[in-house]
């Protein structure tokens, strides 16, 4: 990636930690930041919009995309397949767009191998009790599914140490402020500021 290119952020969390709501508000509040829309074979949930929340495709179409190496990362989660378009990400970053990828730890590993300059953020719930309460509060899954999601959440959280940043989602607004701070700090790094404000710097130093 060139210094003037966009930045890539990988955000992971166990199911129920609140990452989707946090990312939605983060993108709403931070100009020039957008969410990468993944492909998935899982069923579309009520209220979700194809092309906005996910690109919903059948297993056969997903497998064809896998065969042509169309994905920069892919994973199976809860029996469903997920993948992120390689070409789309590269085009967005080249155009200077900052992107957020909402993926699990498996996908994050793949992304870091291909985009080593990306920054990764892991979101944790304030407690196991809060996590289970949030899963129950969704009203979408039965007790058996929730129990499985809790077991999978523990496995997901074991990988927090692989990430650059750790955010605890106890008070929503505080967690959101932490995420914003990470984005803003990265945008202020010297290499990017030099590229964006070269004319200003040249003028200041010519006095």
């Amino acid at each position: 990636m060139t210094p003037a290119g966009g930045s890539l952020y990988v955000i992971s969390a166990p199911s129920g930690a609140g990452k989707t709501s946090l990312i939605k508000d983060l993108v709403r509040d931070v100009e020039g930041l957008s969410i990468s829309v993944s492909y998935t074979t899982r069923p579309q949930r009520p209220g979700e919009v194809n092309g906005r929340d996910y690109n919903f495709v059948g297993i056969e179409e997903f497998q064809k995309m896998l065969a042509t190496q169309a994905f920069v990362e892919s994973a199976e989660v809860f029996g469903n397949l997920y993948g992120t378009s390689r070409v789309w990400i590269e085009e967005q970053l080249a155009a200077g767009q900052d992107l957020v990828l909402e993926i699990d730890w498996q996908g994050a590993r793949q992304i870091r191998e291909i985009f080593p300059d990306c920054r990764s953020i892991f979101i944790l719930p304030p407690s196991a009790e809060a996590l289970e309460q949030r899963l129950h509060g969704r009203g979408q899954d039965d007790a058996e599914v929730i129990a499985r999601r809790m077991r999978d959440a523990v496995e997901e959280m074991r990988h927090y140490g692989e990430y650059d940043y750790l955010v605890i989602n106890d008070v929503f607004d505080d967690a959101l402020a932490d995420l914003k701070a990470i984005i803003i700090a990265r945008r202020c790094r010297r290499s990017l500021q030099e590229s964006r404000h070269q004319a200003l710097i040249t003028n200041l130093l010519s006095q």
Side-chain angles (χ1 to χ4, degrees), residues 12-100:
S12 304
S15 180
K19 71 177 180 302
T20 300
S21 296
L22 283 169
I23 291 173
K24 179 182 177 181
D25 283 10
L26 178 67
V27 171
R28 179 199 65 194
D29 294 347
V30 178
E31 185 178 355
L33 183 66
S34 62
I35 302 174
S36 174
V37 181
S38 300
Y39 286 79
T40 183
T41 61
R42 79 157 171 77
Q44 189 171 343
R45 292 172 181 167
E48 290 183 329
V49 176
N50 186 36
R52 184 194 70 186
D53 299 291
Y54 285 97
N55 293 305
F56 296 97
V57 297
I59 294 178
E60 184 177 348
E61 182 176 352
F62 193 97
Q63 294 291 357
K64 288 180 179 178
M65 296 181 73
L66 269 179
T68 58
Q69 298 182 334
F71 297 128
V72 69
E73 63 82 26
S74 61
E76 181 176 345
V77 183
F78 302 129
N80 298 303
L81 299 173
Y82 293 81
T84 303
S85 170
R86 176 190 297 267
V87 172
W88 188 82
I89 287 183
E90 292 175 342
E91 289 177 347
Q92 294 297 304
L93 293 178
Q97 177 69 41
D98 289 343
L99 292 176
V100 171

Side-chain angles (χ1 to χ4, degrees), residues 6-207:
S7 294
L8 183 61
Y9 300 91
V10 172
I11 300 182
S12 304
S15 180
K19 71 177 180 302
T20 300
S21 296
L22 283 169
I23 291 173
K24 179 182 177 181
D25 283 10
L26 178 67
V27 171
R28 179 199 65 194
D29 294 347
V30 178
E31 185 178 355
L33 183 66
S34 62
I35 302 174
S36 174
V37 181
S38 300
Y39 286 79
T40 183
T41 61
R42 79 157 171 77
Q44 189 171 343
R45 292 172 181 167
E48 290 183 329
V49 176
N50 186 36
R52 184 194 70 186
D53 299 291
Y54 285 97
N55 293 305
F56 296 97
V57 297
I59 294 178
E60 184 177 348
E61 182 176 352
F62 193 97
Q63 294 291 357
K64 288 180 179 178
M65 296 181 73
L66 269 179
T68 58
Q69 298 182 334
F71 297 128
V72 69
E73 63 82 26
S74 61
E76 181 176 345
V77 183
F78 302 129
N80 298 303
L81 299 173
Y82 293 81
T84 303
S85 170
R86 176 190 297 267
V87 172
W88 188 82
I89 287 183
E90 292 175 342
E91 289 177 347
Q92 294 297 304
L93 293 178
Q97 177 69 41
D98 289 343
L99 292 176
V100 171
L101 297 186
E102 181 184 350
I103 53 179
D104 71 344
W105 66 269
Q106 300 173 73
R109 280 186 175 178
Q110 297 175 52
I111 291 293
R112 278 192 292 265
E113 290 179 0
I114 300 172
F115 299 100
D117 195 42
C118 77
R119 288 296 175 264
S120 55
I121 306 166
F122 200 93
I123 299 172
L124 285 174
S127 67
E129 292 76 16
L131 180 61
E132 186 170 8
Q133 185 178 21
R134 290 172 184 176
L135 289 173
H136 278 286
R138 288 178 171 182
Q140 296 177 335
D141 303 312
D142 58 28
E144 182 179 350
V145 171
I146 290 175
R148 185 188 69 183
R149 288 186 180 274
M150 281 297 295
R151 292 193 299 270
D152 290 337
V154 173
E155 177 58 30
E156 180 86 21
M157 290 186 290
R158 293 187 195 280
H159 297 274
Y160 81 90
E162 301 175 15
Y163 290 71
D164 299 309
Y165 301 94
L166 185 62
V167 172
I168 311 300
N169 185 17
D170 185 1
V171 178
F172 183 89
D173 287 344
D174 291 345
L176 179 60
D178 288 345
L179 290 174
K180 290 179 182 178
I182 293 169
I183 304 298
I184 293 170
R186 181 148 176 83
R187 287 181 173 180
C188 289
R189 71 188 190 276
R190 181 179 53 78
S191 60
L192 275 182
Q193 293 289 66
E194 283 179 337
S195 176
R196 291 166 176 163
H197 303 289
Q198 188 59 58
L200 168 65
I201 294 171
T202 300
N203 178 267
L204 289 172
L205 297 183
S206 66
Q207 301 304 313

